[in-house]
Amino acid sequence: MRISRTILVIALFIGGFASANAQTDRQFIRNGNHLYHQQNYAKAEVEYRKALGKNPRNTQAMYNLGCALLMQQKDSAATVQLENAGKAETAKKRRSMAYHNIGVICQRHQMYGEAIEAYKESLRNNPSDNETRYNLALCQRLQKKQKQNGGGGNNKDQKKKDQNKDKKDQKKQQKQQQQKQQPKDQMSKENAEQLLNYATQQEEATQQRMQQKQQQPQSRQLEKNW
């Protein structure tokens, strides 16, 4: 996966079209580009957002903001901005750049199906982009390998389903174990009661014998004394 192309693409966008309606959004973009090349991506993000505040339809600001977010690993937010740029942009090569970077994000998260679709869209707009073609072929191989290994990438829905299934299975096993243990517990209680009754009977019998023995010597003594 080649993320380095992201910087190259942003450089191409810097010299792109000019906004027709306002000088201010262009100035914010210049400030953001300067900060971006200094690798100060957080401050560059602020400048690009200011540009969009002045001109929400400025696709250059959308795209560059997506790149700044991408470099900060804010992948979800970056994807949103890149998708906005890809949909709003009319120039095919610039659209190709936006979808290429969406593919980079998806590939980084092992979401190969989504990455493949993004790279395909990028190639539809710029068929001569060999780097995108390379990434597409790589993702197709990785997806095939992933399926062979029984993996689903970062498919959150599938993971949730598997986790829910595991929880249900665990509860079922615990219930079965409790049901198995219940008869044993009941038998143990019955045995304990039987043993207690038996011990009580034995104790009563012993006390009776002791009383009898105590009475017999006394009677003998009385007889002798008599």
Side-chain angles (χ1 to χ4, degrees):
M1 177 170 54
R2 303 177 183 180
I3 304 177
S4 59
R5 185 175 184 275
T6 306
I7 300 176
L8 176 62
V9 171
I10 199 171
L12 292 173
F13 248 53
I14 288 171
F17 65 91
S19 176
N21 64 338
Q23 180 71 21
T24 53
D25 59 325
R26 291 177 61 192
Q27 185 59 50
F28 284 130
I29 291 173
R30 290 194 194 99
N31 295 340
N33 294 341
H34 179 70
L35 292 164
Y36 186 96
H37 285 299
Q38 292 180 341
Q39 298 183 359
N40 195 338
Y41 305 118
K43 288 186 178 180
E45 175 190 345
V46 173
E47 294 299 312
Y48 294 140
R49 290 190 184 279
K50 288 179 182 178
L52 285 173
K54 293 293 182 180
N55 183 8
R57 294 186 178 182
N58 191 324
T59 54
Q60 184 179 356
M62 294 177 197
Y63 176 83
N64 288 4
L65 174 57
C67 291
L69 292 166
L70 174 60
M71 298 307 292
Q72 296 176 78
Q73 297 185 350
K74 298 177 180 179
D75 292 346
S76 296
T79 301
V80 172
Q81 295 301 326
L82 292 169
E83 284 180 344
N84 291 340
K87 291 175 182 178
E89 182 57 64
T90 56
K92 286 191 173 182
K93 283 191 176 180
R94 295 186 186 120
R95 291 190 74 220
S96 173
M97 295 171 187
Y99 285 105
H100 173 93
N101 285 351
I102 292 172
V104 169
I105 293 172
C106 295
Q107 185 176 347
R108 183 156 67 186
H109 290 276
Q110 299 180 6
M111 298 167 61
Y112 299 122
E114 291 85 346
I116 289 169
E117 293 304 316
Y119 288 139
K120 284 182 178 179
E121 184 63 28
S122 178
L123 287 171
R124 290 188 190 103
N125 290 276
N126 184 13
S128 63
D129 190 339
N130 291 326
E131 187 169 1
T132 299
R133 185 173 288 102
Y134 169 84
N135 284 2
L136 172 61
L138 176 61
C139 282
Q140 288 172 335
R141 289 197 300 270
L142 291 171
Q143 185 188 49
K144 185 177 180 181
K145 185 177 179 181
Q146 188 181 71
K147 288 180 179 179
Q148 288 175 348
N149 294 335
N154 280 5
N155 191 323
K156 294 181 180 179
D157 292 337
Q158 186 61 39
K159 283 187 175 181
K160 286 182 180 179
K161 288 180 181 179
D162 293 340
Q163 289 175 355
N164 291 334
K165 186 176 182 300
D166 292 340
K167 288 180 180 179
K168 288 181 181 179
D169 291 341
Q170 288 177 358
K171 288 182 179 179
K172 187 176 180 180
Q173 289 178 355
Q174 290 176 355
K175 189 174 181 180
Q176 288 176 349
Q177 289 177 354
Q178 288 175 356
Q179 289 176 349
K180 288 180 180 179
Q181 291 174 353
Q182 280 178 357
K184 292 182 180 179
D185 294 339
Q186 290 175 358
M187 290 297 295
S188 63
K189 288 179 181 179
E190 291 176 0
N191 291 338
E193 290 178 357
Q194 290 176 357
L195 290 172
L196 182 61
N197 292 333
Y198 179 76
T200 303
Q201 292 175 359
Q202 291 294 321
E203 185 178 357
E204 290 176 354
T206 302
Q207 289 178 355
Q208 288 178 359
R209 286 196 297 271
M210 289 178 64
Q211 290 176 357
Q212 290 176 357
K213 286 181 179 180
Q214 288 177 356
Q215 290 174 358
Q216 287 176 358
Q218 289 178 358
S219 62
R220 288 175 185 174
Q221 289 175 358
L222 289 172
E223 288 177 357
K224 286 183 178 178
N225 292 334
W226 182 258

